[in-house]
């Protein structure tokens, strides 16, 4: 976890509590560097924060033996990864489950490894955000990526080249 980001979010959340409009808002300013902006609410100043590298953000974890997608403790991790995939799909309707599978397989070996794959980089950025706000171990991150990769494989077999992407799109209503 990143205490700087948690403190900034806490401060901004207090400021946003008395304003109209959306609650806590994160804006990606520089995806390559992992620079984000935490909105300050009506008239408030936004905080610019550069997310720490994935390896630095991995912590002790939850202590769970299994990374279960139905376990509420892991919801932020699973939703973060799947949201990154869906945002990429929204921008590129030519994206296929096969491309998602390749990106996830790469990340399942070493989530923080340098990659040329745009989707893998996008998932890494989202994982950096999630790990900045939640305590997950590197093994839990790998486990979540592997579970999603298995889901991609299962839905691709039954739903065609975009079976997983369309399934999750319906679930997330994106």
């Amino acid at each position: 976890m990143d205490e700087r980001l948690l403190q900034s979010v806490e401060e901004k959340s207090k400021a946003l509590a008395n304003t109209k409009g959306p609650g806590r808002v994160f804006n990606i300013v520089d995806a390559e560097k992992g620079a984000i902006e935490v909105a300050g609410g009506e008239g408030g100043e936004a905080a610019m924060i550069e997310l720490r590298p994935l390896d630095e953000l991995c912590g002790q974890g939850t202590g769970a033996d299994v990374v279960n997608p139905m376990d509420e403790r892991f919801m932020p991790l699973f939703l973060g990864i799947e949201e990154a995939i869906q945002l990429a799909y929204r921008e590129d309707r030519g994206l296929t489950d096969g491309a998602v599978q390749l990106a996830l397989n790469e990340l399942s070996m070493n989530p923080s490894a340098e990659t040329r794959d745009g989707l893998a980089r996008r998932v890494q950025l989202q994982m950096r955000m999630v790990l900045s706000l939640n305590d997950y171990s590197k093994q839990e991150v790998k486990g979540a990526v592997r579970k999603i990769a298995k889901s991609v494989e299962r839905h691709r077999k039954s739903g065609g080249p975009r079976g997983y992407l369309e399934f999750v799109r319906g679930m997330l209503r994106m």
Side-chain angles (χ1 to χ4, degrees), residues 82-100:
E82 291 188 321
E83 178 184 43
I85 294 166
Q86 282 302 304
L87 289 172
Y89 184 46
R90 179 187 287 175
E91 290 173 10
D92 177 9
R93 290 293 185 193
L95 185 65
T96 64
D97 290 356
V100 173

Side-chain angles (χ1 to χ4, degrees), residues 13-166:
S13 292
K14 287 177 186 174
L16 289 171
N18 298 322
T19 64
K20 295 178 182 176
R24 178 175 33 177
V25 176
F26 299 99
N27 221 10
I28 297 172
V29 177
D30 185 338
E32 289 300 315
K33 289 183 180 178
I36 63 166
E37 176 183 67
V38 181
E42 261 181 53
E45 287 188 35
M48 297 294 286
I49 296 176
E50 190 170 320
L51 298 172
R52 292 176 25 210
L54 264 172
D55 281 339
E56 290 180 23
L57 293 167
C58 289
Q60 297 295 317
T62 65
D65 294 331
V66 177
V67 180
N68 182 348
M70 296 302 165
D71 186 332
E72 285 186 25
R73 295 176 290 182
F74 295 110
M75 281 295 168
L77 185 55
F78 281 100
L79 288 174
I81 295 167
E82 291 188 321
E83 178 184 43
I85 294 166
Q86 282 302 304
L87 289 172
Y89 184 46
R90 179 187 287 175
E91 290 173 10
D92 177 9
R93 290 293 185 193
L95 185 65
T96 64
D97 290 356
V100 173
Q101 186 83 47
L102 289 172
L104 294 176
N105 286 345
E106 182 179 353
L107 293 173
S108 71
M109 291 183 273
N110 183 357
S112 60
E114 183 116 359
T115 180
R116 299 184 120 200
D117 185 287
L119 178 58
R121 284 195 313 271
R122 185 176 207 140
V123 171
Q124 284 175 324
L125 178 61
Q126 189 71 15
M127 287 191 298
R128 286 170 66 189
M129 175 69 83
V130 170
L131 290 170
S132 293
L133 301 171
N134 300 277
D135 184 15
Y136 297 113
S137 69
K138 191 169 188 174
Q139 286 309 112
E140 289 171 336
V141 172
K142 286 180 177 182
V145 171
R146 287 182 183 128
K147 291 266 188 190
I148 294 171
K150 286 181 183 177
S151 178
V152 172
E153 186 177 330
R154 185 173 49 254
H155 286 281
R156 188 176 76 194
K157 285 180 181 175
S158 65
R162 291 182 183 81
Y164 166 79
L165 290 165
E166 288 297 327

Side-chain angles (χ1 to χ4, degrees), residues 159-173:
R162 291 182 183 81
Y164 166 79
L165 290 165
E166 288 297 327
F167 169 75
V168 175
R169 182 173 169 240
M171 296 300 286
L172 295 178
R173 293 184 187 98

